[in-house]
Amino acid sequence: MIVPILFALGVLPLSSGLPSAKAPYERKSEECTVRTQRMPWTKLSSAEKLEYINGDLCLMSTPAKSGIPRAKSRWDELQYTHIAQTVYVHGVGAFLPFHRYFVTVHEHLLRSECNYTGPLPYWDEPADVGNLNGSALLDVEIGFGGNGIGENGCVVDGPFANLILRFNADMTTGEYCLSRFLNDRALESAAQENVDMCLSKDKFTDAWRCLEGRPHGAGHGGISGTMINPFTSPGDPIFYLHHGYLDKLWWDWQSLNLSTRLTEIGGNNTQSAGAGFGPGPGGNFSGDPFGGGNSSFPRPPGFPGFPGFNGSNPFPFPFPGQNRTVNKAFTDYFNDGGNVTTLNHTLWSANIVENVTIADVMDPRGGFVCAEYL
């Protein structure tokens, strides 16, 4: 496993040596005997919904264990894992595999440390287009709570009311609230026609670029607040249902040609010049990553900015037209032997669970993931 990484303003110092790169990949041998089920939130019973919510509350109260400096809870450690490598898991070929891995890491903690036994839910986003405020996901009794209030958009109802988060986007720590600014217009990008366009792509690189565009941006933009920040978004428990849904879309695409798509990977390991956080449906990486409907994190119409960061810049890294220094501590550790994403690419979770490779998560039915989508 890699030692914990401190990530501040694009500089990533390591406290000790990394494992040697370029080792040939050997498929992991663990058996998948009983697959967990993944299904829409609306298909869970009331008891299963409450058990799942209690699982996340458990992670928020369980002390940190992975040695991440300043982390107080397992929830902090999950958020840290995403913040630390945001610029290396968005706008790159590892975007879909990493988030399949990350969703499974969250599931592993729910089951192994918080005794969750039910299905892993995802958010069926097209079903809520045009009626976000009426979504069962946002129920205050057996859901994730509703919209935020006030200038900072703090969530004050539901099971996660007054939740305090700690890691800022620049890896400093400070207390700020879980925030939301619900926006139906942003969620419109989740429309089925956009999904179908992505599923029609022939190549992985085209399907990835499409999925990281409007379908990805829709859930983040629709919830907004904490969810619109590409670094800190896992602070909102809805993040995992959103990326569970996006992973299901990748699996739907894979299932159309399993003989090829269980091993098809590609793309760049570092964001290309002018890249934002995900291209639009046409695969164009240029432009404002937070501005338009084609961006991965579209700014919802009328969105009032990014409040609630206690003076911390929510986007501390350079964007289009600025220089971005590639940190070789990450890129060398990927084990790809270059800037093209391969099956040998290492996926990292800051010592929360074991590292795996992209090959280990390509087929969600076996090995590390061991799940089935319903």
Side-chain angles (χ1 to χ4, degrees), residues 207-248:
W208 143 53
R209 291 183 175 112
C210 185
L211 289 171
E212 197 181 353
R214 286 178 176 163
H216 178 224
H220 284 284
I223 300 298
S224 290
T226 299
M227 273 283 282
I228 199 66
N229 187 309
F231 298 88
T232 61
S233 51
D236 192 327
I238 292 175
F239 172 94
Y240 295 98
L241 283 81
H242 168 56
H243 272 280
Y245 168 68
L246 203 69
D247 186 60
K248 176 189 178 295

Side-chain angles (χ1 to χ4, degrees), residues 252-265:
D252 288 344
W253 179 83
Q254 289 180 296
S255 298
L256 295 174
N257 186 357
L258 287 175
S259 62
T260 297
R261 295 176 179 180
L262 285 180
T263 56
E264 185 181 355
I265 198 71

Side-chain angles (χ1 to χ4, degrees), residues 19-88:
S20 60
K22 312 301 188 293
Y25 173 71
E26 294 181 5
R27 182 168 291 278
K28 296 172 69 65
S29 60
E30 69 261 30
E31 294 183 1
C32 172
T33 55
V34 180
R35 294 177 184 140
T36 60
Q37 294 187 330
R38 299 185 176 185
M39 62 178 63
W41 176 254
T42 53
K43 299 297 184 182
L44 270 64
S45 68
S46 295
E48 288 170 334
K49 290 177 180 178
L50 291 174
E51 184 189 2
Y52 179 86
I53 288 169
N54 285 332
D56 271 349
L57 290 171
C58 166
L59 294 179
M60 294 169 188
S61 62
T62 299
K65 300 178 181 179
S66 297
I68 296 171
R70 304 183 305 280
K72 295 183 178 181
S73 69
R74 284 306 228 177
W75 199 253
D76 289 348
E77 292 179 321
L78 285 167
Q79 190 183 35
Y80 171 97
T81 297
H82 191 268
I83 295 171
Q85 52 191 324
T86 294
V87 297
Y88 296 100

